[in-house]
Amino acid sequence: MNEYLFRRVRAIVAATFGVPEATITEATSNSALDSWDSMNHIHLIVALEGEFGVSFDPERAIELVSVRAIVER
């Protein structure tokens, strides 16, 4: 896994879900964080798009349910 990319994604995930960065690992997923609900998932996607200058297709965006999946995408 690209460590630099992971650190950037970890910071966005932590900020979006209001948790300490240290608690976010590549295995962190929507089932591990109570605050990772459908509305906050949208906020996460928007934050990722803004940070990386990309646009996720809605069908692909719903598949991004873990830090690993986000970094790999």
Side-chain angles (χ1 to χ4, degrees):
M1 175 175 290
N2 181 313
E3 185 64 27
Y4 174 70
L5 186 56
F6 166 71
R7 286 193 313 265
R8 289 176 68 190
V9 169
R10 179 179 60 187
I12 294 167
V13 170
T16 300
F17 300 122
V19 297
E21 280 188 44
T23 65
I24 305 298
T25 69
E26 64 182 68
T28 300
S29 68
N30 62 341
S31 62
L33 296 174
D34 290 336
S35 56
W36 195 330
D37 58 19
S38 58
M39 184 58 77
N40 279 333
H41 186 76
I42 293 169
H43 292 291
L44 174 62
I45 297 303
V46 170
L48 291 166
E49 290 177 334
E51 175 70 19
F52 295 105
V54 297
S55 180
F56 293 109
D57 183 82
E59 288 81 29
R60 296 289 184 198
I62 61 172
E63 297 171 356
L64 301 178
V65 294
S66 72
V67 172
R68 179 178 291 118
I70 293 167
V71 172
E72 289 176 354
R73 176 62 51 183

